[in-house]
């Protein structure tokens, strides 16, 4: 954390520690071996820093995402995770996001994180030379299909307060901007799961 502001909140850190202790975390299955028809929903989490490139740009994962997208089941993506969808090609040769409304990490938030931390963390907050928002918008049918949401820098939604949070809903697809939207994002995506 920088100045106690950037980084994971305490409750998220507790959840992360519990997740990395699971057998599924310690022995993950390769993306290419997954049967996408076995899942009720797909969640594409975000994350930044150069180490995320192996996930965000993985063509095997993108092929699996294209298969899943074609099933018409619920899909959620948050922050940088929207890049996976932007880069996933549908049978028509366009991004699966083409013709859909979405949000993602807004350029102003990515820029603010980078400028506030570059003195200490270098390019940690810049995963790619292009901003996430710019790449996502280039994959859409129209720039008007990108919804930035209200300006926010530090206020985050919580389990009990969705006030500062923001999501975009487009049928079965739910997207969010950053970790401050995570609770609302999860609650909204859960409404799309089969009962």
């Amino acid at each position: 954390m920088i100045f106690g502001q950037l980084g994971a909140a305490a409750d998220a850190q507790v959840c992360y520690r519990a997740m990395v202790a699971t057998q599924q975390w310690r022995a993950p299955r390769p993306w290419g071996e997954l049967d996408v028809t076995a899942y009720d929903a797909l969640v594409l989490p975000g994350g930044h820093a150069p180490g995320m490139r192996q996930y965000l740009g993985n063509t095997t994962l993108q092929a699996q995402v294209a298969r899943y997208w074609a099933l018409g089941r619920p899909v959620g993506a948050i922050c940088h995770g929207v890049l996976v969808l932007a880069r996933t090609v549908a049978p028509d040769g366009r991004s699966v996001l083409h013709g859909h409304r979405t949000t993602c990490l807004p350029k102003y938030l990515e820029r603010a994180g980078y400028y506030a931390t570059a003195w200490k963390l270098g390019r940690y907050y810049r995963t790619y030379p292009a901003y996430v928002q710019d790449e996502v918008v280039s994959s859409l049918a129209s720039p008007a299909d990108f919804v930035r949401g209200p300006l926010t820098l530090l206020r985050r939604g919580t389990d009990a307060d969705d006030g500062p949070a923001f999501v975009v809903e487009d049928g079965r697809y739910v997207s969010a901007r950053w970790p401050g939207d995570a609770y609302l994002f999860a609650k909204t995506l859960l409404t799309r799961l089969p009962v």
Side-chain angles (χ1 to χ4, degrees):
M1 290 196 181
I2 301 291
F3 307 124
Q5 297 298 318
L6 297 175
D11 58 341
Q13 292 178 38
V14 169
C15 290
Y16 181 80
R17 284 192 292 277
M19 178 183 68
V20 298
T22 66
Q23 178 61 27
Q24 293 88 346
W25 180 267
R26 290 191 307 262
R29 293 176 56 202
W31 291 316
E33 293 179 10
L34 297 176
D35 173 9
V36 298
T37 65
Y39 299 93
D40 293 327
L42 171 66
V43 176
L44 296 164
H48 52 79
M52 289 297 293
R53 290 181 183 181
Q54 61 86 26
Y55 158 67
L56 299 171
N58 190 286
T59 56
T60 300
L61 174 61
Q62 291 165 17
Q64 290 287 58
V65 169
R67 288 183 193 96
Y68 191 85
W69 186 270
L71 297 174
R73 296 179 186 171
V75 175
I78 185 169
C79 197
H80 281 66
V82 180
L83 281 176
V84 177
L85 291 173
R87 294 170 175 178
T88 296
V89 179
D92 66 4
R94 298 185 292 202
S95 167
V96 296
L97 286 182
H98 192 86
H100 295 277
R101 294 177 64 243
T102 193
T103 194
C104 66
L105 179 65
K107 188 187 302 188
Y108 78 89
L109 270 178
E110 188 173 6
R111 189 180 294 136
Y114 170 68
Y115 286 136
T117 63
W119 63 275
K120 182 169 178 78
L121 301 175
R123 295 194 54 82
Y124 179 75
Y125 276 98
R126 290 308 313 274
T127 308
Y128 295 101
Y131 289 100
V132 173
Q133 178 182 329
D134 291 340
E135 185 173 344
V136 168
V137 168
S138 73
S139 73
L140 303 175
S142 165
D145 290 335
F146 176 76
V147 186
R148 186 196 71 200
L151 290 174
T152 186
L153 286 175
L154 300 175
R155 252 184 102 222
R156 297 171 180 237
T158 66
D159 188 32
D161 179 14
D162 293 329
F166 177 78
V167 299
V168 171
E169 300 179 67
D170 185 39
R172 65 182 170 116
Y173 172 55
V174 178
S175 57
R177 305 167 300 175
W178 71 306
D181 300 332
Y183 281 104
L184 179 60
F185 170 71
K187 289 186 265 188
T188 305
L189 188 59
L190 282 172
T191 67
R192 285 156 173 76
L193 293 179
V195 185

